[in-house]
Amino acid sequence: MATTDRNRRLLLAERPSGMVNADTVRLVEEDVPDHGPDGALVRVRYLSIDPTIRTWMNDARGYVPPIAIGEVVRGGGIGEVVATTSARYAVGDLVFGMTGWQDYAVINAAAGAMQVIPPGIDPLAALSVFGVTGMTAYFGLLDVGKVAEGDTVVVSGAAGATGSVVGQLAKIKGAATVVGLAGTDEKCAWLVEDLGFDAAVNYRTQNVATSLREQCPGGIDVYFDNVGGDILDICLGQLAQKGRIVLCGAISTYNDSGPVKGPGNYRNLIVVRGRMEGFLIFDYFDRFPEAQMAMASWVAEGRIKHSEHVVEGLEQAPAALNLLFTGGNTGKVIVAVE
Ligand SMILES: NC(=O)c1ccc[n+]([C@@H]2O[C@H](COP(=O)([O-])OP(=O)(O)OC[C@H]3O[C@@H](n4cnc5c(N)ncnc54)[C@H](OP(=O)(O)O)[C@@H]3O)[C@@H](O)[C@H]2O)c1
């Protein structure tokens, strides 16, 4: 492609200890890459900022290899095809895939495919309610949590991208009581007044164990865990008979180094014949269309509301990542690259 443009890239410069800081990434400018034969060049428009990116920065074994030092920070995003030699992509297509924290990404045999977003879909919604976090809420609650009518459901990280959808889905599926845990009174008010949660608890200022006992007197049927740590332990201790815990994420531990403390109340699973199960959304890719169709109707009917927290500028991506850990976001964190 003939261009005078440059490709700004954020490379992992050193492994963070705690939150990412100015030394974690290094900005470089390189030539715009060549997409080669049977490939496409993608101008990255939006980055999906996900807590798991922080875990990929650690030199630790996970479900994917760590990001190497000197490698572009790995992450999902949406871009526009600006040049193509592949019959699968047309110039102007919006595509979703692992773009990385950079201005340009390539799609070719080595880099892997990207998914074309149907025309008319808002790219911000494509990254939130129709994207990985919306799908995580859907399959985590329905497939793993097996939410049923009349259930009492508790979700942590409730005002975030995943948690806010979980609570609304639980109501749609007939849950009798849905309680969200969030870190500010404003978020708690949003959950109850705008999203239809039955109650919300500010875990920073209220006693979580006491508040949940008041809100869930018969125990918790489904706890959707986004945070791990002490809140997971409290919910384990308050599980109802045959209760289910959906292990979605453990954001309270992602900045820690060293061993993670285990939940002391796990033996309650034996008492209540309960189940605690982890899952990864990558196992559900084939079933995304089914969930996206369902989600599209609920969004159109106003039964699912979604919120995006957009941060401007590629160079702000590390600060945007930190918002997830300080609770500076309501809904999905997205970086608008330009
Ligand atoms: N299993 C999977 O395949 C999968 C896929 C996607 C996401 N996830 C996981 O799902 C969780 C939510 O991800 P997301 O992208 O939707 O992020 P998010 O919920 O939009 O943002 C994270 C939220 O976590 C809360 N938080 C941060 N530190 C906390 C702490 N120490 N204790 C309690 N709450 C804390 C913050 O809100 P407050 O103001 O309320 O503190 C923050 O807004 C993460 O754990 C992520 O790793 C898993």
Side-chain angles (χ1 to χ4, degrees):
M1 183 207 177
T3 175
T4 53
D5 210 354
R6 302 278 288 163
N7 186 20
R8 294 174 305 156
R9 313 183 79 209
L10 289 174
L11 311 184
L12 184 65
E14 64 175 40
R15 302 207 179 278
S17 161
M19 306 270 271
V20 303
N21 61 36
D23 298 327
T24 307
V25 298
R26 184 162 56 91
L27 178 70
V28 295
E29 282 196 8
E30 296 176 1
D31 291 339
V32 174
D34 182 11
H35 53 78
D38 198 24
L41 180 66
V42 174
R43 182 77 169 92
V44 183
R45 300 287 183 210
Y46 297 103
L47 299 175
S48 172
I49 302 298
D50 298 287
T52 196
I53 296 171
R54 175 63 189 82
T55 68
W56 297 339
M57 291 176 170
N58 294 336
D59 191 14
R61 198 172 147 264
Y63 60 96
V64 291
I67 303 168
I69 299 295
E71 191 184 342
V72 72
V73 177
R74 186 189 303 138
I78 284 181
E80 182 184 341
V81 173
V82 291
T84 178
T85 45
S86 164
R88 286 181 63 181
Y89 304 98
V91 169
D93 279 352
L94 277 188
V95 290
F96 168 78
M98 296 305 280
T99 55
W101 288 8
Q102 55 191 344
D103 284 320
Y104 287 95
V106 292
I107 313 175
N108 58 27
M114 291 197 194
Q115 192 192 350
V116 177
I117 298 170
I121 304 280
D122 169 18
L124 299 183
L127 282 182
S128 62
V129 67
F130 302 127
V132 167
T133 49
M135 299 299 99
T136 299
Y138 182 97
F139 290 110
L141 185 68
L142 273 54
D143 258 49
V144 185
K146 302 217 180 302
V147 68
E149 222 163 289
D151 274 352
T152 292
V153 177
V154 173
V155 55
S156 52
T162 306
S164 58
V165 177
V166 168
Q168 296 178 86
L169 275 176
K171 289 309 290 184
I172 287 172
K173 291 292 169 185
T177 305
V178 175
V179 182
L181 299 171
T184 67
D185 290 345
E186 292 71 26
K187 289 183 182 187
C188 288
W190 181 63
L191 294 174
V192 174
E193 289 161 21
D194 292 357
L195 302 192
F197 284 52
D198 296 291
V201 176
N202 181 339
Y203 72 89
R204 290 184 196 271
T205 59
Q206 292 177 259
N207 182 309
V208 174
T210 309
S211 303
L212 287 182
R213 234 175 262 119
E214 282 166 14
Q215 300 295 342
C216 315
I220 300 167
D221 296 302
V222 180
Y223 169 52
F224 193 105
D225 185 31
N226 284 316
V227 305
D230 292 340
I231 292 176
L232 168 61
D233 212 9
I234 290 167
C235 291
L236 263 167
Q238 296 193 26
L239 216 53
Q241 286 290 317
K242 290 279 183 190
R244 288 86 69 199
I245 293 186
V246 181
L247 291 182
C248 174
I251 195 168
S252 73
T253 66
Y254 293 171
N255 279 318
D256 296 347
S257 39
V260 173
K261 188 173 131 263
N265 284 332
Y266 81 93
R267 290 186 306 189
N268 196 39
L269 287 172
I270 304 168
V271 177
V272 301
R273 293 83 162 166
R275 175 166 64 82
M276 179 156 85
E277 183 177 338
F279 77 105
L280 278 176
I281 194 58
F282 306 114
D283 297 339
Y284 288 91
F285 271 148
D286 291 349
R287 292 179 57 196
F288 273 24
E290 133 199 355
Q292 286 162 332
M293 293 273 283
M295 211 67 97
S297 342
W298 292 323
V299 169
E301 292 162 8
R303 298 175 78 192
I304 291 213
K305 295 180 183 153
H306 56 97
S307 165
E308 291 82 26
H309 184 118
V310 179
V311 176
E312 302 283 338
L314 174 67
E315 65 289 356
Q316 294 303 320
L321 183 61
N322 279 341
L323 287 176
L324 299 168
F325 296 91
T326 58
N329 65 307
T330 296
K332 174 75 195 166
V333 178
I334 292 170
V335 165
V337 172
E338 285 177 274

